[in-house]
Each structure stands twice: as C-alpha cells, then as structure tokens.
Amino acid sequence: MRLARGRPRKTCLAALGRFFRELSTGAAGESTVFDSAGFIHPTAVVHQDAVVGRGVSVGPFCTVGSSVKIGDQCQLYPGSHVFGNTELGDNCVLMTGAVVGDDLPGSTLLGFNNSIGHHAVVGAKCQDLKYKIGEPCFLSIGNNNDIREFSSIHRSSKSSDCTVIGNNNLIMGSCHIAHDCKIGNCNIFANSTLLAGHVVVEISQDVPKYMMVAGGRAELHGLNLEGLRRHGFTDLEMRSLRTAYQRIFMPSNANPVRFEERLAELEQHEALAGFPAVLSMTRSIRSCLAEDRRGICKIRHWNAS
C-alpha cells in the first residue's frame, strides 16, 4: 500500500487501519481465527496435493508445499512455511516466520505437540561441504518439543544417517543443532547453544528419581530442589530427601560401609523411612542397579580446596 503525499495524517492512519484489517479477513469478511474448526486464510498458498488434517488453521501469507502432510489441530501462524517432504504430527504450532522442511530429497518428520518458534528454521539443508546436492537427507523430531525463536536444526549430511531430536526437549532461542546430531529426551539447551555435526547428547547411565546431573560425562549433582518445589514437595520432604541423598552418596569417612549397606540402612531408618518420597527414591536407585539396566551416573566429587 502506498500513501499519497500531502494526505492528512488522520486519513493516512485510517487507510493503514483498513489495510491491516484487510490482511486479517477473507474475501467474505471472515476473521483469521485459530480454533478447533480450522481455517485457511485466502492469502495462504496451500498446494492442492498437500494433506491437511482436521481443525488445521493456516494464517495469512503461509505456504504449504505439495508433499506436505499436516496432522489434526495444527496451527500455522501468519508468514510460516512448510516445504518439501515434511510431516507434522497432531497439535503442532508454527509461529510467525517459522520455516519447516526444504525442497530436498529425503524428509523432515515431526511428532505431535511440537512448537516451532518465531523465525526458527527446522529441516533445512546442512552446512557440511561434503554434502552432495541431490542426496537424500533426513531429520526426525519426536513429541512435545519446544523449539524457540531463531533456532536452526539441519538435516543429515548423507542418506545413511539422520539428525534426531527426541521428546520433551526445550531448545531456547538462537540455538543451532547441526547435521547428524543425536539428541535424547528431556534436555534443555540454553540460549545460543551451538552443536556441531555428529554431536550425541544423551545420558549413558540412569539418573535416579528426584536427582539432577551435569557435565560432559553426566555426573550426579544432587537433588533437583527447584523441580521438587514446582511439584509441591514440602520443605520437610525436601530436607528428608537431602539427608537421604547425603547418607547414600556422600557418607563421611567415619562410616565406610558399602553402598548396598548404606541403602539398606536408609530403608530401615526410623525417621527417614517414614517418608514415601524417600522410599520412592531408594526404590528408583535399586531399579537402576538391576542387572538389565545401565547402572547409576557417578557422583560428582567436590574439590574441598
């Protein structure tokens, strides 16, 4: 829209108002409403061969390619785009400016309930110079992931591999996950975290209930007190869990009994064993030590100096 010179300011503002109202309404005057009924805005370009599920809302100036499959109840906010052989599971949300998929051989697959933030790019061609144009490349993302604004996740660099993101991950703003990375479940990547190609992020041994780990080789770093608070644990319960953790994993030199003996003593402790949360933690530890499991992450040894 162009404003003529010399037009009064109020007239210009009124014209701008009409312009933006036109962008948000269809030919018949319908509003772009993201609801269970679904809606495709007249300015959106949705290829006739695309498969669009029930209750999908596609906002103004969106693009949906010919090989795209969109699950039920997905929401594409204005100016978001889905290209190539891409599949979105149910209840996925693409915020304004998000781009998912690329017109390349291969595929980009997302599970259900994923959120792609403003101007994030997911499923683009990798930046590996060894990638051969025309070779199939792949990206697979699980369920319940929150991928925030300006993040980028690239497809694999070769047809025999795949970039993989698991479930329940929070990938904060401006993160980058390069080709052929393997990301597990329930990870949090802070703002501007950068992963080069072929990085594997996972915990090689089990983490017992209520605990947290950190480090390049994951080590136990105590109880997840903030998580316990958020889930309604009382101060008394948290103090009891902290005491139990110290008795199991941080014994004094005056008590050099074996790990199994310390665990058994705790389970029979007159006071601590009366807390269901403490017993739940000890059961989780025993489960981690079962023959068919991987064992427990090592305890971090603090430097007294």
Side-chain angles (χ1 to χ4, degrees):
M1 175 182 179
R2 242 178 122 180
L3 298 179
R5 288 187 179 179
R7 181 177 292 185
R9 186 171 183 272
K10 289 185 179 179
T11 304
C12 292
L13 292 176
L16 282 172
R18 288 195 301 272
F19 173 67
F20 286 113
R21 283 195 297 274
E22 290 170 0
L23 293 185
S24 60
T25 58
E30 309 100 330
S31 296
T32 304
V33 179
F34 293 99
D35 58 19
S36 58
F39 180 79
I40 297 178
H41 193 273
T43 62
V45 179
V46 179
H47 197 279
Q48 62 181 3
D49 294 334
V51 178
V52 179
R54 297 185 299 273
V56 172
S57 295
V58 182
F61 306 112
C62 293
T63 306
V64 178
S66 61
S67 301
V68 171
K69 297 180 180 179
I70 299 178
D72 297 343
Q73 307 299 327
C74 288
Q75 297 182 4
L76 277 63
Y77 279 75
S80 57
H81 308 280
V82 190
F83 298 118
N85 186 18
T86 297
E87 184 172 344
L88 304 180
D90 296 345
N91 297 298
C92 287
V93 176
L94 275 60
M95 301 305 296
T96 296
V99 179
V100 178
D102 203 342
D103 289 320
L104 297 168
S107 63
T108 299
L109 305 178
L110 279 70
F112 60 81
N113 200 34
N114 291 294
S115 177
I116 311 300
H118 298 79
H119 303 283
V121 178
V122 175
K125 182 180 74 173
C126 71
Q127 298 173 142
D128 188 347
L129 295 178
K130 297 188 296 296
Y131 172 71
K132 298 177 181 178
I133 300 297
E135 184 172 5
C137 48
F138 303 94
L139 168 64
S140 177
I141 296 178
N143 309 316
N144 302 308
N145 294 288
D146 189 2
I147 300 168
R148 297 300 300 269
E149 55 274 9
F150 296 102
S151 293
S152 56
I153 303 176
H154 289 174
R155 290 206 219 171
S156 62
S157 62
K158 51 188 177 181
S159 59
S160 59
D161 210 336
C162 181
T163 305
V164 178
I165 311 291
N167 306 318
N168 302 297
N169 294 290
L170 171 57
I171 301 173
M172 296 185 187
S174 302
C175 289
H176 174 65
I177 298 176
H179 58 90
D180 309 296
C181 284
K182 304 291 186 294
I183 308 301
N185 304 321
C186 303
N187 297 288
I188 297 176
F189 293 89
N191 294 287
S192 300
T193 298
L194 308 176
L195 299 185
H198 302 281
V199 172
V200 177
V201 179
E202 66 175 0
I203 297 174
S204 59
Q205 291 181 295
D206 292 336
V207 181
K209 185 178 287 188
Y210 310 136
M211 300 179 195
M212 60 181 179
V213 295
R217 291 291 182 268
E219 298 176 328
L220 294 180
H221 275 236
L223 295 174
N224 184 1
L225 297 177
E226 185 58 35
L228 292 171
R229 289 191 188 94
R230 291 176 180 175
H231 284 81
F233 283 73
T234 65
D235 289 341
L236 180 58
E237 287 176 312
M238 288 190 288
R239 285 197 299 271
S240 300
L241 284 168
R242 177 180 286 174
T243 301
Y245 179 91
Q246 292 171 343
R247 284 175 173 267
I248 296 171
F249 295 104
M250 305 171 65
S252 64
N253 294 332
N255 184 25
V257 297
R258 295 185 302 110
F259 183 86
E260 175 62 34
E261 293 173 352
R262 297 198 300 271
L263 197 57
E265 286 178 3
L266 180 63
E267 291 170 329
Q268 299 174 14
H269 192 277
E270 182 177 356
L272 295 175
F275 288 92
V278 172
L279 293 180
S280 180
M281 184 175 75
T282 57
R283 285 194 295 269
S284 175
I285 293 170
R286 289 198 178 279
S287 176
C288 294
L289 296 173
E291 290 185 2
D292 60 338
R293 300 289 287 272
R294 302 175 295 181
I296 297 175
C297 288
K298 301 298 185 291
I299 178 81
R300 178 180 181 183
H301 295 287
W302 296 92
N303 189 343
S305 60

